[in-house]
Amino acid sequence: MNANLMCSSPIRSLHNVGVCYQRRSGLFRQSPFWALNDVSFDLFRGEVLGIIGRNGAGKTTLLQLLADIIKPDRGVLQTNGAQATLLSLQIGFIPNLSGRENAIMSGLLLGLRRSTIQSRMKDIIAFSELEEFIDQPIRQYSTGMRARLGFSVALQLNPDIFLIDEVMGVGDANFKKKSSEAMLEKFHSDRTFVLVSHDLSMIRRLCSRVVWIEHGATRDEGNPEAVIRAYQACLIPPSNPLPRIPKETTGKP
Amino acid sequence: MHKARYFELVFYKTYADLRAEAARTYISFLWWILDPLINMVVFYFVFKVILNHGTENFVSVLLVGLVFWKWFTNSIQHALNSIPIHLGLIQQIYLPKLLLPLITILTDFIKFMVVFSVLILLLLLIGITPSVAWISLPVLFALQLLLVTGGGCLVAAINPFFPDLRILTEHGLTLLMFLSGVFFDVSVVPEPYRVFFFVNPMAVMIDAFRLVILENRLPNWFALGYVFVFGAIILAVALTMLARFDRVYPRLTLA
C-alpha cells in the first residue's frame, strides 16, 4: 500500500529548508540563530511519518512549518493545499467559562465549525466523563478533568494532516489507556500523520517512515528500523561525536 | 470555508472574553457602567469642584467628551497587546493575526454601547432633549469605529516588533486626551488655532458628538470626510502590515 502512496505527489515537500530566529543581544545588535538550517524530506498522503531527534534539534519548529504557522527563511517548502493541524490540547481555555463553552472555544480555534462542535457535544461529554460538571466553570476542575476535556475536543478533529508532538494519552491510568487507544484508532484511517516523539518503541510501532533531525538538519530518513538503530547508536556512545555544523553568521531578519 | 469559521471565532471569543471578565468580580456587569461613571465623577470633582472651571453646561460637555474618549483610548490600549498576549496560541495554531485586535475592538465597542446607553439616560435626566440631529449618530459611530479599528490594528501590528511602543502609546494617549478637548469645548480654542486643533481626528469626533447630542446641530461633514480618509489610510497600512507579517509574529519571542 505504501509503495503506491509513494508514487503520488507529496502533500508537503521540503528542500533545504532553514528557519532563522533573531536573538537580541543589545539595543541594536541581533545575533541570528538557525533553529533549522537544512531540512529536506517529502510527506505523502496517508503515511505516518515519525520525526526523531534530541532536545533542541528543531522538531517543534519543523511542526510549525508543516502547520503553516511560520514560513522558512531559506529553502523551499511546497504544499498542495492540504490543511495541517497541530494537536494542541486545551488551547484557548478560559478558566471562568464552563466546560461546554470552553469546548466550543477550543474547537473553533482548532478548526471546527460551531455547528460541528455542538452536534458532537454529546460525544465530547461522554468521552471526557465530565457529565454533570460540563456546565461548571473549568477553574473548578481538577488538572485531570481539564486534560480529559481538552483531549475529547481534539479527538473530534479530522484535518488532512495531523501533527502530533509527544501527546498520545492524557489523564489518569484509565483515561490514558482509553485516550491513547482512541488516538491509535485514528491512525488506521487514511489520514496523514506526523508524529514527534522520544518514545522510540512507539515510533517503531506506528510509523511507516522516519526522519531524523540533528542540529536543524536531516541526518537520515527512511525505514524506521534502520533510522532508529542509527540514531540510537549515535545517542549511546559518547565516543562518537557528531560533526559540528558550521555557525552561520548571515541571515535575513 | 475558513472565513465563516473566523467570523464565528471572533464573535465567540468576544462573548467569551466579556463573560470571563464579568465573572471575575462580584458585581460583574455592573462594573461596565460603574467604572465609567466613577471616572466621570472623578473628573467632574477635579474640574468643577476643585478648579471651579467651565461653563454652566460643563457637566454635559464633560460627559460626552469622556464617554467617546474612553471608547477610543480603551480600544487602542487593548488592541495594542492583543498579539503578544496570544503568543502561545498563535505558536500552536494558524490564525490570521488581524482577528486578534478585531476581537478586542469588538469587545470594547460592545462595552461602549452599554456606557453610551447610560450616557443618554444621564443626559435626559439633566434636561437634554433628543432631536432629529441624533439620526446622524450612527454615521458618527461608524466613523469612530473606523478610526478605532485603524488605530488599534496599527498599534497591534507594530507592537510585537517594538514593545517599547506600549509605553510611548500611554504617554501619547494622555497628550492626545488633552488635545482632543475632552475637558473643554472647542469654543475656548482661539480661532486661528482651530485648524491645528482639528488636525487631530479625535478632536473632530468629540466636537461632532457634542454638536449633535447637546446642541441639536448637524456635524461638519467636511471635517468628518477628513476623519474618514485618515481612518481609511491607517487601516489600510495596518491591514497591509498584519498580512505581510502574518507568519512572522509567531516567531517574535521578545514580546
Side-chain angles (χ1 to χ4, degrees), chain B residues 168-187:
Chain B
L168 293 179
T169 304
E170 245 168 61
H171 294 298
L173 283 172
T174 308
L175 178 66
L176 204 62
M177 175 173 74
F178 289 106
L179 290 180
S180 299
V182 175
F183 308 112
F184 55 85
D185 191 78
V186 67
S187 55

Side-chain angles (χ1 to χ4, degrees), chain A residues 127-197:
Chain A
F127 195 89
S128 62
E129 301 162 21
L130 284 168
E131 305 301 345
E132 74 269 24
F133 294 104
I134 195 71
D135 287 310
Q136 292 190 6
I138 62 161
R139 95 182 106 82
Q140 295 170 3
Y141 283 18
S142 66
T143 314
M145 287 162 85
R146 255 179 247 194
R148 266 146 49 197
L149 179 62
F151 189 89
S152 308
V153 174
L155 204 56
Q156 312 304 318
L157 296 176
N158 272 313
D160 302 326
I161 311 171
F162 220 136
L163 308 171
I164 301 175
D165 194 350
E166 283 297 359
V167 268
M168 290 300 286
V170 296
D172 60 21
N174 274 333
F175 194 82
K176 195 165 248 162
K177 187 165 177 289
K178 174 172 142 183
S179 54
S180 45
E181 273 166 10
M183 207 66 225
L184 288 175
E185 209 168 288
K186 281 198 176 277
F187 280 69
H188 295 305
S189 66
D190 57 353
R191 309 229 160 239
T192 313
F193 287 83
V194 176
L195 189 58
V196 167
S197 183

Side-chain angles (χ1 to χ4, degrees), chain B residues 68-158:
Chain B
F68 291 97
W69 173 257
K70 270 286 178 184
W71 173 21
F72 178 78
T73 187
N74 284 347
S75 305
I76 299 291
Q77 281 172 326
H78 295 149
L80 178 85
N81 280 323
S82 58
I83 294 179
I85 271 184
H86 292 107
L87 190 64
L89 190 78
I90 59 174
Q91 283 175 341
Q92 293 180 74
I93 48 158
Y94 170 74
L95 273 188
K97 305 313 166 279
L98 166 67
L99 302 187
L100 299 175
L102 284 189
I103 289 164
T104 68
I105 287 162
L106 185 60
T107 307
D108 280 313
F109 179 61
I110 290 168
K111 286 200 218 167
F112 155 75
M113 291 305 277
V114 175
V115 175
F116 178 73
S117 316
V118 177
L119 171 75
I120 292 301
L121 277 176
L122 282 176
L123 290 177
L124 293 177
L125 269 177
I126 60 175
I128 304 285
T129 46
S131 75
V132 275
W134 287 25
I135 54 171
S136 60
L137 280 176
V139 181
L140 296 187
F141 283 178
L143 260 184
Q144 180 153 343
L145 191 59
L146 172 74
L147 198 59
V148 151
T149 311
C153 288
L154 188 66
V155 290
I158 300 170

